[in-house]
Amino acid sequence: METNPRNITWHPSLSHHERSLLRHQPGLTIWLTGLSASGKSTIATALEQHLLSVPLAAYRLDGDNIRFGLNADLGFAPADRTENIRRIAEVAKLFADSCAVAITSFISPYRADRALARRLHERAGLPFVEVWVDVSVAEAERRDPKGLYKKAREGVIKEFTGVSAPYEEPEAAEVVVRSGETSVEEAVVQIVGYLEGKGLLKVAGK
């Protein structure tokens, strides 16, 4: 056991592999990133439903259950966005360590923040799959189901990704979903195909 300077002691428990064997499923995080109105949440919801039907324990984290609870104290300034993603990454890592499939659906616009999320998982020996739901700003703005782009163009919403704040495109995402050319069902097939191809939906050693 190691003690840190704050006198917090880490108590070892079951290993991830032991837990995985007992629960008969692996744990991992699937990290969906993309512009607002790219279709992330719709795809994440369909993916969660598919995995639950397998059945695999899966849980979706998105703005509805994070921004109104755990991260209710954060805004959309760069520092707040970074802290938002750090907290989400830590929560997703716990889900993955519990041998559930964590599905996160957040714009997560900065490469450095997504890289941090990946490192947290890699250090814990947990799979991390980045899925870029790729759509052009023009197409996202055409869809604009919540009228957010319109408000951003009018200056009502500040620091809006794709309009007044940057989105740094992934450089090496494991899966790239071309949202303008791919149906929700096809996106789920694409993601699941990648996971199955890498053996990420099987318990290691079984």
Side-chain angles (χ1 to χ4, degrees):
M1 293 187 294
E2 296 182 359
T3 303
N4 68 18
R6 294 178 294 171
N7 295 316
I8 299 174
T9 303
W10 177 268
H11 293 278
S13 60
L14 286 174
S15 70
H16 177 72
H17 181 62
E18 289 170 330
R19 190 177 290 112
S20 182
L21 290 173
L22 289 168
R23 294 199 63 189
H24 307 293
Q25 80 161 68
L28 68 145
T29 290
I30 305 169
W31 191 280
L32 279 73
T33 175
L35 293 171
S36 178
S38 63
K40 298 183 303 301
S41 293
T42 303
I43 293 170
T45 299
L47 178 60
E48 180 187 33
Q49 291 172 341
H50 171 79
L51 293 176
L52 287 170
S53 72
V54 170
L56 289 169
Y59 191 79
R60 178 173 49 90
L61 300 168
D62 63 16
D64 288 342
N65 55 23
I66 292 292
R67 279 284 187 180
F68 290 101
L70 177 66
N71 292 351
D73 59 321
L74 299 176
F76 292 91
D80 282 358
R81 286 179 182 271
T82 293
E83 177 60 13
N84 180 55
I85 296 305
R86 187 195 68 80
R87 293 183 194 178
I88 293 161
E90 291 283 5
V91 172
K93 185 184 75 171
L94 291 175
F95 271 92
D97 188 48
S98 77
C99 296
V101 180
I103 305 168
T104 74
S105 173
F106 296 89
I107 295 172
S108 45
Y110 303 126
R111 291 190 191 107
D113 295 344
R114 298 193 300 267
L116 171 62
R118 184 184 294 274
R119 285 196 304 274
L120 287 172
H121 285 73
E122 290 176 345
R123 288 171 184 167
L126 299 167
F128 181 92
V129 177
E130 184 176 35
V131 177
W132 177 23
V133 183
D134 180 22
V135 70
S136 67
V137 174
E139 173 60 19
E141 195 163 356
R142 185 192 66 76
R143 298 174 180 179
D144 201 14
K146 299 178 182 178
L148 300 179
Y149 283 91
K150 183 176 185 294
K151 291 180 180 178
R153 294 292 183 192
E154 294 170 346
V156 176
I157 300 178
K158 309 296 183 184
E159 301 286 348
F160 189 80
T161 303
V163 177
S164 51
Y167 178 77
E168 298 173 357
E169 297 180 350
E171 296 177 320
E174 281 78 8
V175 180
V176 179
V177 174
R178 307 295 182 190
S179 179
E181 309 164 7
T182 309
S183 70
V184 173
E185 293 77 14
E186 290 169 339
V188 171
V189 169
Q190 183 182 353
I191 296 167
V192 171
Y194 174 86
L195 299 174
E196 291 178 339
K198 295 294 183 180
L200 293 174
L201 297 182
K202 295 181 179 179
V203 177
K206 288 194 69 176

